Every structure is written in C-alpha cells, then in structure tokens.
Amino acid sequence: MSADQLAIAVTFLTGRYHGAEWPPSPARLYQALVAGVMTGGYRTLFPKIEPALRWLEQQQAPSILASSSHELAPYRIAVPNNDLDRAGLEWAAGRQANPAEYRTMKAIQSRTVDDEGPHVIYQWRASAPEIETWTEVLRKAARCLHTFGWGIDMAFADVIYPEPQSLGDRFIPSEPGSVDLNIPIAGTLEDLQASYQRFLVRTSGKGVDTHTRPSMFDTKGYSIEGERRRPLVRFRLLDADAEKPQSIPWAHCMRVAAWVRHAAADALTTLGWSQDEIASYIQGHTADGDKSRRVSYVPLPNISGPYPDGRIRRVIIVEPAAEPGNAARALQRVLSGRVLTNDADEPAACLMPVDDFGGFEPYVGSQASHTWRSVTPVVLHGFNVQRRGVIDVAKTEKLLLRAFEMAGYPVNTIARLSFQAGPLWRGTGHSAAMLVPQHLAKYPRVHVEVTFKTSVEGPILAGIGRHYGIGVFARTNR
C-alpha cells in the first residue's frame, strides 16, 4: 500500500462467497463493517468507530484488488415461504395443515476463491493526515467483521500496509464499466440504522412490513485495469404484460435482435438523436462507411443455471470498444420497461433492466477466460468448400481467423481454434438450424472453439452475423 492509500483486506475463511456480484461491492463491505461493529459486545466500540464510518462513506469509490474466482455448480434448496399464517388459519378453522408444504425453491450460486488470502482488498486514496487519523480506528472496525456476503460466508478483515502481489485483477472505477457495483454515500450509515429499526418492528397486527432494506447507495461502473472494454447494457425478457419471464427459441436470435434494434431506434428518435446517427450507428445501415462502428444487439441463450435449455431469456446491447458509451447509457434509461413488437407489430416481449450478472456470467462480467465456445454459430464471410462439396479445412480456418480479426482479435492473439457443425453447449442447436437474415443465408456457418494466448473478457462476437447475436461466445473457465 502506498503512502497515500488506506486499504482494507478481506479473507474468506471457507474460501466460498455467495454474493451476487464479483468482486464484492464497496457497499457490501461497508454494510459488513457496520454489522460487525453492531454485533454483541462490539457495540461498545461504536461511539469511537462511528466518525471513521462517516468519513469512509464520503470518500470516492475505491479501487479493488480481487483474487481469481470460479463459479460452482448451482443448486436449489427448499426454504420457508414466510406463509405460516395460512397454516394458522387452517388450524383455527379446525382443518388439517402441514407447514412443510409452504415452501419455495431458492437457487444458490456460490463461487470459490483462489489462494489463501487476502482475497479482496479495497483501496481508498487519502491524505497523510487522514490516514494517520483513521487507520487504527478503521482497523478496530475491520476486526469486528465476521461475515461477508451471505450469513454463511465467514470472513476476516484488517487494515493492511503491504500490497500483496498475488491477487488476480485490479478493478478501477470507470465509465462505462464491465460490472456495476454499489458504493456507500453520505447518509448510508443513517439509512442502515433506520433499516435495522424497521426490521425490529417489521411484524405487527397488520402483517409484515417487508420494507426493511437499505437504499442509500450509489452505483459505480468498474473495469479491470488495462483491459479493453465495450460499453453495454443488460436486459431480461418478460412477457408483454411484464408479469412472467419470456423465453424465445435458440434459433430465433435474429428476430429478437430485430425487435430490440427497432425499439432502440424509436426510443433514441424521441430523445432527439439525429436520423443519420440512428440509421448508421444504431441500425447499422452503413453503405460505404465503417461497418465496425455500429451497435450490436445480442440475444443470449440460456446455457447455465437451473434451465440450460438454450432458450433466449436475456439480451445485451453492445457498443464498439472505442465508443464512450453514450448510446448504452441512453438505452439503459429509455428501454427499461419498453414493450418489443414483432414483424406483425404485435407485442412480443418486455425489456427489464437487471442489477446483477445472473445468467449473463458466461458471456460478460468480471471473469476472463482463455477458451471460448460459440453458443450461436459463426457466419463466415466467404465460401469454404471444394468442388465436390467437401469442406476445405485450411480455408475454413483462414476465414475464421479473418472473422476474429474483423471483430478486434488479431491472428497473433489466438493460440488455436477448432470448428464443427454440431452444437458445443447443452440446449443449443446445429449450426444449420440457426435462422439468419436473407443476405447471409448463402454463407456457411460453423460452431467454433477458440483459445486465446491470454485471458480475454467478454462479450466475444465474431462473424458477419455478430451484430444480430449470431456468432456469440461463452467462456469455458479454461
């Protein structure tokens, strides 16, 4: 740790973390510090630690050093449904009731962290007098921390001086970011205290008050230092009434992309964007211009979690890496809750924004990977067969290398690749089964596994159908 930084390091005692985001957000650390200080006999320390907590909540977003982590296989458990009053009403009426039946299934997705720790380090820039004033006070607060993530994520924290060099990535605040993390702001401490008081009196004769969660946080984009970033926005698909999850068959990527592209153009028109910019950059009508400077609309088939059936339940909108993210920010705002219409101008789905990376993790997020496999096939920009219809392997590889180069991955970044017609992921289909726009129908398409020489972060899109979500890759954790 340099002389102008104050750092808090956290170690997971079991090597497991169950929180939704990685790395854990600064707001999650702040909540864990407050919870630790307010537990049992540690409460006596609160008057001394409170000024340090108030100072900390007013600081700029910290940088975060995080060790590498890996998602474990998801599973589900049955948990009480907070519905035992139904059983009570049945008993009061003299009827039989079994409280064990009032349960719901809860999905659990944990991750394991590498090394012995510390696993996450939060670093705030501060002046020398501030560091001298608050270091020992915050050390007392850090040593009160007992869990970090869920209540089962036992952890230990401390204020540290030396900076370990073995941690994986440094996440720095950036706009746009690859992951959005909550950060504390002035007033967070009072909000946490008020939330706790609401929790204590949540049950009354009128029922249960579920409004007990804190809300005084800001959200900040974070990216891995030194890595290339593409501005993007994430949505879930609901039905047209925004009541139930919506899913679309794997082969219909181009149709979902067209629905979203049409909605984006309409929404940005209402914001006053120029028609030329909408036509070229948003809709991709680039007759003679730079065809790489355009927004990509990428439906994401479901290949992880409890339902790896290949159906489309999520969508991302991606800008080129060189762009400042103006379109992504605008579309995040104006497309939230918007109803998508199909070719017959009928309601087809509704876009809902998301706060976490659940379901998006194989495609985007903070995890990089060497090896990626196509979920939807890559459309080649040329023909790869010999005279008698036999696939020319050398020509196919050449076309694939060209496809990755056009997508921003030069030949010298690729260690090896392979291709096949059959699917590479559960729930997905044969490359020929993917529907493509008419102008791409004549070109061959193949499923591809590519290994880069260094770890690469998603989204990875390749081929001449990549702006429609045809040629989207998912990481393999290899």
Side-chain angles (χ1 to χ4, degrees), residues 106-267:
K106 181 175 184 178
I108 296 180
Q109 175 77 72
S110 63
R111 63 175 67 233
T112 179
V113 289
D114 296 339
D115 305 322
E116 296 181 355
H119 298 116
V120 193
I121 300 176
Y122 300 82
Q123 297 176 326
W124 292 266
R125 289 199 171 276
S127 64
E130 288 177 313
I131 293 175
E132 183 177 354
T133 300
W134 302 118
T135 293
E136 290 305 317
V137 184
L138 286 174
R139 176 172 282 118
K140 291 180 180 179
R143 291 179 176 177
C144 293
L145 183 145
H146 46 76
T147 52
F148 190 42
W150 287 11
I152 57 176
D153 295 327
M154 299 176 62
F156 168 80
D158 199 1
V159 173
I160 64 169
Y161 292 105
E163 179 180 303
Q165 300 298 317
S166 60
L167 292 185
D169 298 309
R170 180 188 296 274
F171 292 81
I172 58 175
S174 64
E175 292 295 344
S178 60
V179 59
D180 293 330
L181 300 178
N182 288 338
I183 61 173
I185 57 176
T188 296
L189 182 58
E190 278 91 351
D191 186 46
L192 292 174
Q193 293 171 321
S195 298
Y196 179 65
Q197 293 303 315
R198 292 195 300 270
F199 176 79
L200 293 178
V201 296
R202 67 192 184 282
T203 303
S204 67
K206 297 181 180 180
V208 178
D209 178 13
T210 58
H211 180 57
T212 61
R213 294 184 179 276
S215 58
M216 287 289 290
F217 299 111
D218 196 5
T219 301
K220 190 73 175 178
Y222 274 80
S223 296
I224 298 176
E225 186 176 39
E227 285 200 359
R228 168 181 168 226
R229 289 288 174 270
R230 298 188 65 178
L232 61 84
V233 57
R234 311 184 305 275
F235 293 102
R236 285 191 302 122
L237 291 178
L238 300 184
D239 65 2
D241 295 324
E243 295 180 351
K244 298 182 297 183
Q246 177 73 295
S247 69
I248 311 296
W250 169 84
H252 293 192
C253 279
M254 75 167 189
R255 291 178 178 172
V256 179
W259 301 345
V260 180
R261 184 173 63 248
H262 178 73
D266 283 351

Side-chain angles (χ1 to χ4, degrees), residues 169 171 177-179 222-225 227-230 232 357 361-370 372 409 452 454-461 473 475:
D169 298 309
F171 292 81
S178 60
V179 59
Y222 274 80
S223 296
I224 298 176
E225 186 176 39
E227 285 200 359
R228 168 181 168 226
R229 289 288 174 270
R230 298 188 65 178
L232 61 84
F357 276 84
E361 278 281 3
Y363 301 96
V364 297
S366 60
Q367 290 294 307
S369 177
H370 282 82
W372 294 73
Y409 304 97
F452 296 95
T454 60
S455 292
V456 177
E457 186 177 325
I460 292 182
L461 314 170
F473 287 71
R475 57 184 171 84

Side-chain angles (χ1 to χ4, degrees), residues 27-45:
R28 190 183 290 272
L29 173 68
Y30 192 84
Q31 287 178 275
L33 292 173
V34 174
V37 173
M38 298 301 291
T39 299
Y42 290 146
R43 287 174 177 266
T44 59
L45 299 175

Side-chain angles (χ1 to χ4, degrees), residues 56 70-71 73 78 87 110 134 162 179 216 221 247 261 291 316 323 352 389 392 416 441 448 467 476:
L56 192 64
H70 305 284
E71 284 188 337
S110 63
W134 302 118
V179 59
M216 287 289 290
S247 69
R261 184 173 63 248
K291 295 184 182 296
I316 57 174
E323 296 297 322
M352 294 302 293
D392 187 323
R416 61 182 178 273
V448 181
H467 301 301
T476 66

Side-chain angles (χ1 to χ4, degrees), residues 304-327:
S304 63
Y307 306 108
D309 53 10
R311 293 183 67 88
I312 301 164
R313 295 180 175 88
R314 297 167 183 83
V315 178
I316 57 174
I317 302 174
V318 187
E319 293 190 73
E323 296 297 322
N326 295 334

